[in-house]
């Protein structure tokens, strides 16, 4: 007979108890969303190894509750059970209140969820989660103005949250408010100046705005993105497009026009070299070259 620590998980995966525990820990640490497996393993762990989990069982209850919400309505009883157990153990916990709010969101009881989150913010203004959930609710209701106002309010307190700056930039971009979107990405670049994707994103918005000055600036940011990551093909294509567009603008000196054409040609050659270095099929390389020719980028 196997010892308790080596008991085989009976759900067909042949996992021992330590493997189950370590898997759940890893998913919590890495924020991996694997709801069906989380519920399966978590329920089994709580039913058979609650004592072995010790205080870790409360984290597992929370983990299972969030995963079960993804599987509702089938798992609503499990959600209610987890919230009940956690509420009894932690009657004043903001994290338990968050689970209640998430349940209200699933049930589309928006007013109840907002009231819950407002109460949490009033109780603890430095707890970021309820602000973000309010933004999610407003977006779900297509109340974009309210979502923007809530994000700005949140960023007034949590100005280093780059993900929220990026989300606000996305909203402004969808609303074609590119100037404010630029400001949001600038805040992110101040925090992460070596991230090539943020340089590329800033350049994309500048290119969309258009105009000689914005196009020239977009070339600089596309170039920086390509310098930070030579494999960023999107930045190279952006550089080609921006440089080619600039070379076609009237009232440019012959030197400026030649510089832009040379920059576009360099980007074009770099793109082809990249595809060749990746051992891409000859047909795809020819297709890329043909596309560049049609776009007058070579």
């Amino acid at each position: 007979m196997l010892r308790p620590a080596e008991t085989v998980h009976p759900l067909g995966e042949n996992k021992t108890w330590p493997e189950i525990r370590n898997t759940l820990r890893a998913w919590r640490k890495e924020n991996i969303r694997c709801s069906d497996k989380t519920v399966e393993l978590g329920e089994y762990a709580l039913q058979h190894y609650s004592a072995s989990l010790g205080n870790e069982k409360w984290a597992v209850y929370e983990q299972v509750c969030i995963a079960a919400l993804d599987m509702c309505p089938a798992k609503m009883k499990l959600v209610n059970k987890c919230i009940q157990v956690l509420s009894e153990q932690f009657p004043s916990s903001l994290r338990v209140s968050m689970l209640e709010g998430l349940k209200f969101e699933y049930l589309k009881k928006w007013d109840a969820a907002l009231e819950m989150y407002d109460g949490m913010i009033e109780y603890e203004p430095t707890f970021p989660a309820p602000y973000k959930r309010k933004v999610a609710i407003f977006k779900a209701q297509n109340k974009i103005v309210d979502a923007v106002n809530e994000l700005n309010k949140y960023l007034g307190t949590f100005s280093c949250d780059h993900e929220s700056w990026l989300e606000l930039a996305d909203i402004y971009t969808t609303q074609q408010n590119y100037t404010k979107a630029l400001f949001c990405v600038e805040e992110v670049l101040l925090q992460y100046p070596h991230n090539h994707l943020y340089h590329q994103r800033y350049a994309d918005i500048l290119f969309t705005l258009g105009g000689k000055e914005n196009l020239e600036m977009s070339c600089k940011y596309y170039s920086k993105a390509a310098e930070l990551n030579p494999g960023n093909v999107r930045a190279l294509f952006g550089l080609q497009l921006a440089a080619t567009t600039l070379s076609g603008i009237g009232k440019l000196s012959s030197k400026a026009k030649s510089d832009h054409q040379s920059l576009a040609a360099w980007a074009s050659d770099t793109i082809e070299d990249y595809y060749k270095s990746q051992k891409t099929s000859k047909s795809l390389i020819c297709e890329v070259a043909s596309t560049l020719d049609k776009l007058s980028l070579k």
Side-chain angles (χ1 to χ4, degrees):
M1 179 177 291
L2 296 173
R3 295 190 299 273
E6 298 174 340
T7 300
V8 176
H9 174 45
L11 301 181
E13 293 191 13
N14 294 323
K15 283 183 177 291
T16 63
W17 158 237
E19 289 175 327
I20 295 172
R21 179 189 58 208
N22 293 336
T23 298
L24 291 171
R25 284 178 179 174
W27 288 349
R28 286 198 304 274
K29 182 179 179 180
E30 301 297 331
N31 290 321
I32 294 176
R33 200 178 189 110
C34 190
S35 300
D36 55 343
K37 297 300 182 183
T38 298
V39 168
E40 184 181 35
L41 296 180
E43 272 195 295
Y44 180 77
L46 292 170
Q47 288 173 6
H48 296 87
Y49 295 100
S50 181
S52 299
L53 281 167
N55 288 331
E56 188 179 353
K57 68 182 178 182
W58 309 120
V60 175
Y61 269 114
E62 181 184 39
Q63 184 179 11
V64 170
C65 183
I66 294 172
L69 279 166
D70 286 339
M71 301 176 67
C72 284
K75 293 294 182 179
M76 182 53 73
K77 288 184 178 180
L78 179 59
V79 170
N80 291 329
K81 177 185 175 181
C82 291
I83 292 176
Q84 180 183 352
V85 171
L86 290 170
S87 296
E88 291 173 355
Q89 181 68 23
F90 308 101
S92 301
S93 171
L94 291 175
R95 289 171 65 169
V96 177
S97 297
M98 279 298 304
L99 298 177
E100 287 275 12
L102 291 172
K103 186 181 79 169
F104 286 140
E105 287 187 53
Y106 167 76
L107 297 172
K108 296 187 177 181
K109 295 182 178 180
W110 308 121
D111 292 338
L114 288 172
E115 184 179 353
M116 174 75 70
Y117 297 144
D118 284 334
M120 294 170 64
I121 291 171
E122 184 178 355
Y123 178 77
E124 181 51 80
T126 60
F127 185 47
Y131 293 94
K132 295 185 176 183
R133 295 316 311 167
K134 287 183 68 177
V135 173
I137 288 174
F138 290 137
K139 290 179 70 175
Q141 295 178 298
N142 201 31
K143 295 181 179 179
I144 303 303
V145 174
D146 291 333
V148 168
N149 291 338
E150 194 63 37
L151 265 175
N152 279 310
K153 178 182 176 182
Y154 169 78
L155 288 167
T157 304
F158 304 93
S159 59
C160 291
D161 188 336
H162 74 284
E163 291 181 348
S164 294
W165 281 116
L166 292 173
E167 183 172 4
L168 186 56
D170 280 340
I171 294 176
Y172 282 138
T173 300
T174 58
Q175 298 298 306
Q176 299 183 7
N177 195 336
Y178 299 117
T179 302
K180 290 186 177 180
L182 277 177
F183 176 82
C184 295
V185 181
E186 286 171 0
E187 291 290 332
V188 177
L189 279 171
L190 287 173
Q191 299 179 48
Y192 299 96
H194 301 298
N195 189 309
H196 67 102
L197 294 175
Y198 300 152
H199 286 274
Q200 172 204 301
R201 188 164 186 174
Y202 192 73
D204 286 341
I205 299 173
L206 286 167
F207 183 86
T208 303
L209 278 169
K212 182 174 179 293
E213 291 184 2
N214 288 327
L215 288 171
E216 288 176 341
M217 189 65 70
S218 72
C219 283
K220 294 179 181 179
Y221 280 89
Y222 280 134
S223 297
K224 186 62 178 180
E227 177 188 355
L228 291 170
N229 180 11
N232 189 335
V233 178
R234 175 167 172 165
L236 292 170
F237 269 110
L239 180 59
Q240 288 178 323
L241 288 168
T244 301
T245 303
L246 278 168
S247 67
I249 293 178
K251 298 182 180 180
L252 282 179
S253 65
S254 57
K255 182 180 183 306
K257 185 173 182 178
S258 175
D259 288 343
H260 294 317
Q261 290 174 338
S262 297
L263 187 59
W266 173 84
S268 177
D269 292 339
T270 304
I271 289 173
E272 289 194 46
D273 290 342
Y274 172 79
Y275 279 106
K276 290 176 182 177
S277 69
Q278 298 301 307
K279 298 181 179 180
T280 310
S281 64
K282 291 184 179 180
S283 61
L284 180 57
I285 294 175
C286 291
E287 186 177 344
V288 170
S290 175
T291 301
L292 296 175
D293 282 333
K294 291 178 182 177
L295 293 173
S296 300
L297 296 177
K298 293 192 70 177

